[in-house]
Amino acid sequence: MAILVVGGAGYIGSHAARALRRSGYEAVIYDNLSTGFRRLAQGFELVEGDIADEVRLRPVLARVDAVMHFAAHAYVGESVENPRKYFRNNVAGALSLLNSALDAGIRRFVFSSSCAVYGVPEKIPISEHTPRAPVNPYGASKLFFENALEAYGRAYGLCSVSLRYFNAAGGDEGGEIGEMHDPETHLIPLALAASAENGPELQVFGADYPTPDGTCVRDYIHVNDLADAHVRALQYLEKQHRERSRDEKGGDSLAVNLGTGRGHSVLEIIQAAENATGRPVRRTMGLRRPGDPPALVADPAKAQRVLGWAAQRNLADVVSSAWRWMEKTAQRHAA
Ligand code: UFG
């Protein structure tokens, strides 16, 4: 069975492509390389193209059975400053991809959604029943696409799974692929970089939150656990596909949280980074970053119940794999 991994040269997509291959699927990567990297797609067929390019997509879609869609802009702050960029790609471009897939006869679709669809939740942990009320254009763009999948399910029989990631982090255990963002804005790589001798200092964004140590709490989920969840989602869709009677019209639209169910504060992350590198993380206490909710922690029970999935890796695994990847990257650059 062949899967089109749209955005497969990016951080999470490249890990998912490898997980698919490990599970016996053929993964074809489609990426415009605007934020993805050719080297993350190494060893896979890479078709270069934009998600809105129907002509480029048509022949590729004709030879796959399902689509996984990772190709999105994903900086919350940037989405507030430049919503046009986000709505153009994450909404208009994504919708064009969805229509191309539908026209090609694809009926199985896995979507990278986000806990950003929940906005600032009233209750922690966050279950899938929590009202979806995004507070920034990035979250709004993800919610739009979830709604489109639901409508397409009802009207056209499309079966989909929206995976709402919490904080993706870490890298493949082999150290060959990992988190690569330009610019890097995420806490774990920045904390690790701040432990280097001449590295930039980490700024802790706010220490006056209503949390146990005053810093923000997040649910950090290992990228390979996320990748495994995509394989499970696909297997779920295959089962639905097999069991659906021919005259059944509506397609199933499933949405599940992907997190560990455990929250860690920024200070705990700094401690974990110090444990991994054996060096102090140089930091200053700064002001809150606008738009950061105090705490986001998943209730992952539904993923366990419906997909049989639960995170296998803990925070130490996340941080040590991220560190291994950073060290390997530095060695590559030095060579
Ligand atoms: N943080 C710092 N200093 C930094 C960077 C981050 O203190 O230099 C803090 C943030 O305030 C936050 C935590 O570390 O409390 C994590 O921040 P990240 O930027 O690593 O991740 P976010 O929680 O902001 O973003 C993640 C995903 C987004 C997703 C969002 C949902 O990366 O794609 O969760 O809220 F939309």
Side-chain angles (χ1 to χ4, degrees):
M1 185 168 167
I3 317 299
L4 192 63
V5 185
V6 180
Y11 172 41
I12 304 172
S14 61
H15 286 80
R18 282 158 183 81
L20 285 169
R21 189 155 64 189
R22 282 195 295 274
S23 300
Y25 295 97
E26 184 198 338
V28 177
I29 292 180
Y30 186 89
D31 203 300
N32 67 3
L33 301 180
S34 66
T35 55
F37 297 89
R38 193 178 295 281
R39 69 167 300 268
L40 294 184
Q42 240 167 36
F44 290 85
E45 177 186 352
L46 167 66
V47 180
E48 277 184 64
D50 193 85
I51 51 175
D53 190 340
E54 296 162 26
V55 176
R56 188 100 180 112
L57 272 166
R58 200 169 297 132
V60 197
L61 285 167
R63 55 192 174 93
V64 298
D65 305 285
V67 169
M68 287 192 179
H69 171 38
F70 297 89
H73 295 311
Y75 292 126
V76 172
E78 186 187 53
S79 81
V80 176
E81 282 152 27
N82 192 358
R84 187 170 175 162
K85 175 175 175 180
Y86 279 70
F87 291 129
R88 190 200 304 125
N89 184 76
N90 297 6
V91 173
L95 206 51
S96 173
L97 166 71
L98 182 60
N99 289 333
S100 298
L102 198 74
D103 292 345
I106 303 283
R107 292 294 177 272
R108 282 161 286 184
F109 201 101
V110 180
F111 172 53
S112 298
S113 191
S114 167
C115 65
V117 298
Y118 297 117
V120 183
E122 278 181 9
K123 221 174 78 201
I124 300 288
I126 303 169
S127 82
E128 291 79 359
H129 298 300
T130 305
R132 290 174 295 168
V135 290
N136 50 57
Y138 169 70
S141 74
K142 294 285 174 182
L143 177 56
F144 177 91
F145 200 76
E146 282 196 5
N147 287 335
L149 288 175
E150 280 167 32
Y152 278 35
R154 279 190 296 270
Y156 311 129
L158 181 80
C159 292
S160 66
V161 181
S162 292
L163 296 172
R164 296 178 185 152
Y165 312 155
F166 281 65
N167 285 55
D172 189 52
E173 280 81 5
E176 291 308 314
I177 55 169
E179 188 162 8
M180 259 170 116
H181 293 115
D182 189 15
E184 189 51 80
T185 62
H186 292 101
L187 177 62
I188 292 179
L190 291 177
L192 290 168
S195 79
E197 219 167 301
N198 296 316
E201 251 186 11
L202 175 75
Q203 240 203 72
V204 176
F205 293 146
D208 58 349
Y209 282 99
T211 58
D213 65 19
T215 63
C216 282
V217 169
R218 294 286 181 274
D219 185 337
Y220 296 89
I221 172 83
H222 195 287
V223 65
N224 268 350
D225 279 330
L226 287 184
D228 291 341
H230 286 75
V231 175
R232 300 262 180 169
L234 195 63
Q235 288 163 346
Y236 170 88
L237 289 176
E238 278 177 66
K239 189 159 172 278
Q240 299 289 110
H241 195 70
R242 276 197 306 273
E243 288 172 1
R244 261 165 61 88
S245 63
R246 207 168 295 157
D247 47 352
E248 209 174 323
K249 262 197 94 197
D252 185 61
S253 311
L254 177 73
V256 292
N257 289 340
L258 295 181
T260 65
R262 287 207 53 190
H264 293 285
S265 71
V266 175
L267 295 182
E268 285 179 291
I269 297 299
I270 290 175
Q271 183 62 57
E274 291 182 340
N275 294 345
T277 64
R279 290 195 296 258
V281 169
R282 296 182 313 112
R283 77 272 206 167
T284 50
M285 295 311 226
L287 296 174
R288 290 184 179 196
R289 183 171 66 178
D292 272 344
L296 294 171
V297 180
D299 173 351
K302 186 176 176 188
Q304 170 79 67
R305 199 172 61 247
V306 184
L307 300 180
W309 174 92
Q312 300 299 310
R313 297 157 180 92
N314 62 21
L315 183 65
D317 300 324
V318 164
V319 177
S320 61
S321 64
W323 178 233
R324 198 170 316 127
W325 158 249
M326 282 180 78
E327 283 190 306
K328 277 216 171 189
T329 306
Q331 281 162 12
R332 247 193 315 272
H333 286 154

